[in-house]
Amino acid sequence: MWTADEIAQLCYEHYRSRLPKQGKPEPNREWTLLAAVVKIKPAADQACGGTNRRAQVTKEVVSMGTGTKCIGQSKMRKSGDILNDSHAEVIARRSFQRYLLHQLHLAAALKEDSIFVPGTQRGLWKLRPDLLFVFFSSHTPCGDASIIPMLEFEDQPCCPVHRDWANNPSVEASGDLEDPEDKKKCEDLGSPVAKKMRHEPGIPDSVAHHQSFGHQESGPVPPSVSGSHLTAEELAAVTGMAPSGAKVVDVHRTGAKCVPGEAGDSGKPGAAYHQVGLLRVKPGRGDRTCSLSCSDKLARWNVLGCQGALLMHLLEEPIYLSAVVIGRCPYSQEAMQRALTGRCRNVSALPKGFGVQEVKIEQSGFLFEQSRCAVQAKRADGPGRLVPCGAAISWSAVPEQPLDVTTNGFPQGTTKKAIRCLQARSRISKVELFRSFQRLLSSISEDKWPDSLRASEREQEHK
């Protein structure tokens, strides 16, 4: 029905044509990450058994997000009027929730073009059976999915080793997206080494991809340490991710920190530096964050759905992603499967309709034009430092005010004095999504509410 390259190209074109200049990276000085949700819909005759499947499929971007930032715990607010996590994946999912709210408005108004149809229970809706959603991210999600094995033949294109690493191997390789640029050099896409890797016989495409792109959005690389120096237990976590016969000498780093209570990373040089499969929080600069890594959040959405607890009051079943597509970047199919589905296999005792999904995971060969490596390759040895873009863009397929540009969790340009004003709230903040949900309920006659909401309303009246 679709290919990973088709999804990537659709998202990149949408980014170029539909998102404003405001909030995008400053040319040759900043970079960002991109994520989106794409709706896939077959034509009517295909649903009835048509044969020309590719031509009859409709693909439409319904939400999009950009961003690399996350606020520290000291800046979090109980009022829900600030965006705690502005990584692209989270912005895209919040924007998707806004799209779902709008579609429920259409369904409640009995509009035929809604993606929802009445469920079997009173007041509940379900997704049309012919629709599915694909999640796209221009880069491997931070956290567990970014712990990717580095193979012996990958030494040359890697970042140069810093002398102080040998003297102090305990120095942590941070994956903070704001790390200084001189610690994260990308391999020139046109260099002889990169070209050789892309055409080397016997090297899988996915390996060549992360080979030629060095360490996009990854931390500095310590010296290669032979896998033979590791214990059997330490090797077991990473050797399963390497092509048959390849020697794992190191892993790409993630800056996400293990949550309190987890076993934690060993910090040993080489392939045993990280422990895989753990829950992690996004890194902060001095002020620790409370936001789980994007790998952990995608894993949660794959069990609980993308709709959130609030919309579940009106839905008969969760809204799951059918597939995840990653753009060209350092990548491991096994690491993605472990991070998104493998470590959730034992989750049980879930409510009816919920479960661990067998989501399809693929990688595109197309690079995002404003990723760190793409910008680095264009600017060559240009002056100044390459830094992550401070703004985040939210776009939803809704008729009114589809765009939202934020900085530090608030609409761009918000002053400290105006923070408590209604205008100083992002349209995808928790409080604004809740207000949209309230407006949706008010448009529905109370006698048509689902039983769970009617019971909750009676309890409130009792109090």
Side-chain angles (χ1 to χ4, degrees), residues 21 23 87 323 429:
K21 185 177 179 181
H87 278 215
S429 64

Side-chain angles (χ1 to χ4, degrees), residues 306-338:
C306 290
Q307 73 291 325
L310 200 60
L311 286 184
M312 204 60 216
H313 285 294
L314 296 176
L315 295 176
E316 194 166 80
E317 52 196 31
I319 307 296
Y320 286 115
L321 299 169
S322 295
V324 174
V325 173
I326 303 298
R328 188 168 181 177
C329 65
Y331 179 86
S332 163
Q333 183 73 15
E334 291 76 13
M336 284 290 295
Q337 289 174 333
R338 178 197 67 228

Side-chain angles (χ1 to χ4, degrees), residues 238-282:
V238 291
T239 52
M241 298 187 290
S244 177
K247 189 175 183 180
V248 176
V249 295
D250 210 330
V251 290
H252 288 268
R253 304 286 188 257
T254 177
K257 315 299 180 185
C258 297
V259 301
E262 289 279 23
D265 294 319
S266 71
K268 295 179 182 179
Y273 183 90
H274 283 306
Q275 184 167 335
V276 299
L278 302 181
L279 293 175
R280 297 173 180 272
V281 292
K282 294 182 170 76

Side-chain angles (χ1 to χ4, degrees), residues 268-458:
K268 295 179 182 179
Y273 183 90
H274 283 306
Q275 184 167 335
V276 299
L278 302 181
L279 293 175
R280 297 173 180 272
V281 292
K282 294 182 170 76
R285 282 195 162 273
D287 190 7
R288 189 182 181 93
T289 81
C290 291
S291 298
L292 284 173
S293 72
C294 290
S295 292
D296 298 334
K297 291 188 175 184
L298 277 162
R300 182 175 63 192
W301 304 339
N302 196 45
V303 177
L304 302 178
C306 290
Q307 73 291 325
L310 200 60
L311 286 184
M312 204 60 216
H313 285 294
L314 296 176
L315 295 176
E316 194 166 80
E317 52 196 31
I319 307 296
Y320 286 115
L321 299 169
S322 295
V324 174
V325 173
I326 303 298
R328 188 168 181 177
C329 65
Y331 179 86
S332 163
Q333 183 73 15
E334 291 76 13
M336 284 290 295
Q337 289 174 333
R338 178 197 67 228
L340 270 58
T341 61
R343 55 188 177 146
C344 300
R345 298 272 184 226
N346 296 327
V347 174
S348 58
L350 293 166
K352 182 181 178 182
F354 292 87
V356 181
Q357 304 300 299
E358 291 297 330
V359 64
K360 183 179 181 181
I361 303 173
E362 293 191 4
Q363 186 185 28
S364 166
F366 289 101
L367 177 69
F368 177 43
E369 64 192 38
Q370 292 193 309
S371 66
R372 176 195 289 270
C373 270
V375 176
Q376 179 66 45
K378 289 178 183 176
R379 74 195 298 268
D381 296 322
R385 190 162 63 95
L386 186 63
V387 296
C389 180
I393 306 175
S394 160
W395 181 91
S396 300
V398 297
E400 296 182 9
Q401 299 178 311
L403 282 162
D404 196 42
V405 181
T406 55
T407 305
N408 297 321
F410 290 107
Q412 198 171 49
T414 301
T415 63
K416 288 185 178 180
K417 189 176 181 180
I419 277 179
R420 297 188 181 275
C421 300
L422 291 177
Q423 292 78 10
R425 294 176 179 172
S426 165
R427 296 182 185 92
I428 58 171
S429 64
K430 287 182 178 179
V431 66
E432 284 302 306
L433 289 176
F434 182 72
R435 282 163 58 89
S436 296
F437 180 76
Q438 286 181 311
R439 288 193 292 270
L440 172 59
L441 282 186
S442 65
S443 69
I444 303 173
S445 175
E446 191 171 328
D447 63 327
K448 294 182 180 179
W449 284 9
D451 293 338
S452 60
L453 281 178
R454 289 162 60 86
S456 177
E457 185 72 10
R458 285 194 294 270

Side-chain angles (χ1 to χ4, degrees), residues 101-355:
L101 274 164
H102 171 65
Q103 291 296 318
L104 281 170
H105 268 286
L106 295 179
L110 304 179
K111 302 287 187 180
E112 292 185 1
D113 55 347
S114 173
I115 64 171
F116 293 108
V117 294
T120 56
Q121 302 176 50
R122 181 180 64 180
L124 296 182
W125 305 86
K126 63 181 181 180
L127 189 67
R128 290 183 181 274
D130 60 338
L131 298 180
L132 57 87
F133 295 104
V134 176
F135 190 88
F136 173 79
S137 177
S138 63
H139 194 272
T140 308
C142 64
D144 198 56
S146 290
I147 303 176
I148 301 170
M150 191 181 301
L151 308 182
E152 189 172 35
F153 54 74
E154 295 180 329
D155 287 356
Q156 276 304 106
C158 294
C159 306
V161 174
H162 295 285
R163 290 183 179 179
D164 60 353
W165 217 98
N167 299 325
N168 184 14
S170 64
V171 173
E172 185 169 0
S174 171
D176 187 339
L177 299 185
E178 297 185 53
D179 272 357
E181 163 14 24
D182 60 357
K183 290 185 181 180
K184 300 177 181 176
K185 301 288 186 183
C186 282
E187 179 69 22
D188 184 347
L189 306 187
S191 71
V193 174
K195 289 179 179 177
K196 179 182 177 182
M197 288 307 308
R198 286 197 289 273
H199 300 292
E200 191 75 31
I203 297 177
D205 287 344
S206 61
V207 174
H209 284 177
H210 100 238
Q211 179 73 22
S212 61
F213 281 85
H215 304 283
Q216 182 181 351
E217 288 93 36
S218 298
V221 179
S224 297
V225 178
S226 172
S228 62
H229 298 314
L230 306 177
T231 66
E233 291 79 8
E234 291 166 343
L235 270 173
V238 291
T239 52
M241 298 187 290
S244 177
K247 189 175 183 180
V248 176
V249 295
D250 210 330
V251 290
H252 288 268
R253 304 286 188 257
T254 177
K257 315 299 180 185
C258 297
V259 301
E262 289 279 23
D265 294 319
S266 71
K268 295 179 182 179
Y273 183 90
H274 283 306
Q275 184 167 335
V276 299
L278 302 181
L279 293 175
R280 297 173 180 272
V281 292
K282 294 182 170 76
R285 282 195 162 273
D287 190 7
R288 189 182 181 93
T289 81
C290 291
S291 298
L292 284 173
S293 72
C294 290
S295 292
D296 298 334
K297 291 188 175 184
L298 277 162
R300 182 175 63 192
W301 304 339
N302 196 45
V303 177
L304 302 178
C306 290
Q307 73 291 325
L310 200 60
L311 286 184
M312 204 60 216
H313 285 294
L314 296 176
L315 295 176
E316 194 166 80
E317 52 196 31
I319 307 296
Y320 286 115
L321 299 169
S322 295
V324 174
V325 173
I326 303 298
R328 188 168 181 177
C329 65
Y331 179 86
S332 163
Q333 183 73 15
E334 291 76 13
M336 284 290 295
Q337 289 174 333
R338 178 197 67 228
L340 270 58
T341 61
R343 55 188 177 146
C344 300
R345 298 272 184 226
N346 296 327
V347 174
S348 58
L350 293 166
K352 182 181 178 182
F354 292 87

